[in-house]
Structures are given as structure tokens and as C-alpha cells.
Amino acid sequence: AIFKTFQASFQVLAEREADFATLANGLKRVSTDGPKAAKALRGIADELGYETLFDEKAFQKGFALLTSFKNIGIDSYSRVAETAADLAQINQTDLKSSFLQLAKALSDPTRGLTALSRSGVIFTEQQREMILALHESGQEMEAQAEILRIVEGSYKGAARSAATGLAGAFDTLGQKVRDFNEVFGKAFEPFMEPLVLGLGEMFDEISGGLVLIQDDLLIFAKNLAKILGPVFKWILDSIKNAFEWFDKLFATRQN
């Protein structure tokens, strides 16, 4: 149990650190202060992780995905995340798919609105024309806000409503366990990192040594096979003879 706790803790810590680093790196392309923006978005991911049935890891990965769509402002990320969660909850899809679908629609309404329509979002012809006109005239923020407003009109609150009762309690417990694992892992990280690096160096030395002596090992294995070959043959012959002896003895007694 102790080993599993350590294993789970270091795994959660490593995954969260990797996700945060990926997000911070992506934000460098769209923000002058990537690490600060990443911390703020991680806080939003944690909050949505508790308030919906999707975990904070999925939201953080969704934010990282949004950084590849440079015409979606960081100020919209929180609203996009919650709308994506509502879409995923209603359509019973994974959060990443909803993030991607929504991001494509916001980035390129000409093609993205059709995909959203397939998911059940209804755009009237007048709304579609207005969004495309805003987008083509360079008013991308206004076009994106209109898309989000329409999607929210059909789905808003779905993800938070699902995270109530027993389902919400179990989901919250799971997130609290992962939070504990992260804190626990971070407490032992100063000891674990040098140990892991040391083990890596040890295996490098062993691998290098084996490469140096592999020809000698091959010669040794061949000589060992020459010695053991007759021994194994004698053992197999003895077993075969024993079975033949028992067979003859049994046949004699039957007669």
C-alpha cells in the first residue's frame, strides 16, 4: 500500500508538472507572461475540475490546445472551457473533442459552425450570416462572443448540474485524492529526482559494460553450451529410459 501510494503520487505529480509546462510553453506564443497566465488557467482548471465531472487534467490540456488557435484570446479561455464541458456532457463525448470542435468554430466559423450544428447547436440563417459577416470584417472577438452566446443558450449549466449528488461526490473525492498525491509527491520530490537520475546513470554504466564484454559473453555462452549439451542429453536419455522401463514393467505385470 505504501509503495502504491508513492507510485501514484509521483505519477500524478509528474503528469501535472508536464501538463503545466506544456501549457506555459504554449502560452508564450499568445502572452507576454506565459508562466503567470498558466498559473491563472491552472486555477480555473482546478475549479472546473471540482464543479464538473471532468478532471482538472482534461481542462489544462484543453487550455494547451487553445494556444494553437492564436486568434482566440486568453480572456475567453475560461468561457470556452465551461462551454466545452457543457457540450461534452450533453453529447457524452470526451472534453478534448469538445474543446477542439469549439475552438475550430471560433477560429474559422466558415467551416466550424457546420460541425457544431452536427452536435445539436442550432444556428438560424440570420445568426450564421451575422457571425460570418463579423468574422470576415475582422471583428473576430465579436464573432466568437456571438458563437459562445448561442451555444450557451442551448447547453449552459449542463456540466455543473451533472456534478451533483453521488456522481459529484465520487468525482470530488477522486480529485481530492489526486491533489493529495500531488502534495505528497512534491514533498518527496527533492529526494526522488536525484535517486531517479542516479538510477539512470547506473543503468547507463551497466549497459556500457555489457556492450564492452558482449563478445566475451558470447564465447562463454558457446563454451557453456558445449559443456551442458551432453549433460542435458544424458538427463533426457535417462528420463526416456525410465519411462520405457516402467512401460515394460507394466506390460510384464499385465501378462
Side-chain angles (χ1 to χ4, degrees):
I2 293 172
F3 175 77
K4 286 185 177 180
T5 300
F6 272 97
Q7 184 183 38
S9 296
F10 290 124
Q11 184 176 351
V12 169
L13 177 62
E15 288 176 352
R16 288 189 173 184
E17 286 183 344
D19 289 341
F20 182 81
T22 302
L23 176 58
N25 182 67
L27 287 168
K28 290 178 183 177
R29 297 190 293 268
V30 293
S31 171
T32 56
D33 193 348
K36 182 179 178 180
K39 282 185 179 180
L41 289 172
R42 179 172 180 176
I44 295 170
D46 285 339
E47 190 265 333
L48 288 173
Y50 276 111
E51 295 298 321
T52 69
L53 296 180
F54 303 100
D55 62 41
E56 81 294 333
K57 179 179 180 179
F59 283 107
Q60 199 161 201
K61 286 183 179 294
F63 288 141
L65 186 150
L66 291 179
T67 63
S68 62
F69 295 87
K70 294 183 180 180
N71 59 345
I72 299 178
I74 295 177
D75 293 341
S76 302
Y77 279 19
S78 177
R79 189 177 177 187
V80 172
E82 187 147 4
T83 305
D86 291 333
L87 270 172
Q89 186 63 52
I90 291 295
N91 293 321
Q92 292 296 292
T93 60
D94 62 281
L95 190 58
K96 179 182 177 181
S97 298
S98 291
F99 257 105
L100 185 59
Q101 187 180 49
L102 195 54
K104 285 181 177 180
L106 295 173
S107 182
D108 184 7
T110 306
R111 289 182 292 183
L113 293 183
T114 302
L116 276 179
S117 297
R118 294 195 196 102
S119 295
V121 182
I122 299 174
F123 293 94
T124 66
E125 193 59 35
Q126 184 180 6
Q127 289 171 333
R128 187 183 292 271
E129 289 176 359
M130 180 180 68
I131 291 168
L132 293 178
L134 288 170
H135 177 70
E136 290 167 4
S137 64
Q139 302 178 69
E140 291 187 350
M141 298 297 291
E142 290 79 1
Q144 291 172 7
E146 184 62 20
I147 292 171
L148 290 173
R149 185 189 68 79
I150 293 169
V151 177
E152 288 170 345
S154 299
Y155 295 95
K156 191 173 178 63
R160 290 180 184 266
S161 297
T164 56
L166 190 59
F170 274 119
D171 183 75
T172 298
L173 177 62
Q175 176 137 333
K176 287 185 176 180
V177 169
R178 289 191 297 276
D179 289 345
F180 164 78
N181 285 333
E182 180 181 16
V183 174
F184 187 83
K186 193 172 284 291
F188 288 92
E189 188 177 16
F191 305 98
M192 182 54 62
E193 188 171 348
L195 177 60
V196 172
L197 292 174
L199 285 172
E201 291 177 1
M202 183 187 75
F203 282 116
D204 283 342
E205 291 296 329
I206 294 173
S207 298
L210 289 173
V211 169
L212 287 174
I213 66 170
Q214 62 182 357
D215 291 338
D216 296 329
L217 287 174
L218 182 60
I219 294 171
F220 174 76
K222 287 181 178 179
N223 291 332
L224 187 63
K226 289 179 181 178
I227 296 170
L228 294 179
V231 176
F232 284 124
K233 185 176 185 306
W234 178 82
I235 293 172
L236 291 173
D237 288 343
S238 297
I239 294 172
K240 180 180 177 182
N241 292 334
F243 278 115
E244 288 177 352
W245 183 81
F246 277 112
D247 182 56
K248 290 178 181 179
L249 179 64
F250 183 73
T252 301
R253 289 191 173 183
Q254 275 191 326
N255 292 333

